[in-house]
Amino acid sequence: MLRGLAGFAALFILGWLGGFVWFVAEAIRPAGPIPKADGIVVLTGGAGRIGAALDLLDADRAQLMLISGVSEGVDLADLLRAAGRTFEPGYADRIALGHAATTTIGNALETASWARSNGLHSLIVVTAGYHMRRALAEIGTALPEATLIPDPVQPPAMIRPSLGTLKLLSSEYTKWLLVVFGLTGAAHLREFA
């Protein structure tokens, strides 16, 4: 019995490590050409995300944009200033701020609500490369009828990897596995309770 448990543990660890290597390769892969979509959603929480999403909006890759997970009391002018951008005419009509989300699940629910209320069927999703798989899985669960187009941003931690980067990647990989295997439980219901 002990031999069987040891074999199972070894297979589990090898499977986890093999999947982790694939996950890291996917996390650092640059985006291909981004087609036009109905909307853009950017998930806050990391460097370069809002600027990358604004570049897409300015290039008319979509007409509307949601910035999900914005802290209470922060407005569009604050976000633009932090991204080193100026307030362009028309931004106020094209960019919505979501203040309700505090987690990736919350981002997904906020995105689904915004997309449905605006009749959007395709979304460019902007977040960090290491966060993209989980973001797509959560948004896809909340908004299964939409086409999701990933546009990953590579934060500085991915350019100069360290032990902290490895911990971040392994944590994000494990969280993604929990989503894939449906082990996030009722967390979807708690976000906006």
Side-chain angles (χ1 to χ4, degrees):
M1 179 149 164
L2 267 145
R3 184 179 287 180
L5 284 174
F8 176 77
L11 282 174
F12 177 81
I13 290 169
L14 286 174
W16 190 93
L17 287 173
F20 180 65
V21 169
W22 167 83
F23 180 84
V24 171
E26 287 291 307
I28 61 175
R29 181 187 313 221
I34 303 297
K36 285 195 171 194
D38 297 333
I40 301 163
V41 61
V42 56
L43 311 184
T44 59
R49 298 179 191 187
I50 293 173
L54 288 168
D55 289 343
L56 292 169
L57 189 70
D58 291 342
D60 288 322
R61 303 318 295 162
Q63 289 303 306
L64 297 174
M65 183 170 109
L66 169 68
I67 304 174
S68 178
V70 178
S71 298
E72 286 298 328
V74 174
D75 63 16
L76 183 55
D78 297 329
L79 293 171
L80 292 171
R81 198 170 22 262
R85 304 293 282 266
T86 57
F87 199 97
E88 298 293 328
Y91 273 173
D93 296 331
R94 298 176 70 192
I95 300 173
L97 303 184
H99 292 282
T102 58
T103 66
T104 304
I105 292 167
N107 292 137
L109 296 171
E110 193 165 67
T111 298
S113 175
W114 172 76
R116 286 185 182 120
S117 69
N118 286 285
L120 308 179
H121 302 287
S122 59
L123 296 175
I124 301 168
V125 179
V126 181
T127 189
Y130 64 83
H131 185 237
M132 186 60 74
R133 287 272 164 201
R134 184 161 61 104
L136 292 175
E138 295 287 15
I139 295 169
T141 298
L143 190 65
E145 68 272 22
T147 300
L148 304 177
I149 303 157
D151 187 23
V153 173
Q154 296 306 329
M158 297 302 292
I159 296 166
R160 293 192 185 100
S162 65
L163 183 57
T165 304
L166 186 61
K167 288 166 101 174
L168 172 68
L169 287 167
S170 65
S171 171
E172 194 60 38
Y173 172 60
T174 301
K175 290 176 185 177
W176 173 71
L177 286 175
L178 292 173
V179 172
V180 167
F181 290 112
L183 301 175
T184 53
H188 290 82
L189 304 175
R190 288 194 306 267
E191 178 70 18
F192 292 151

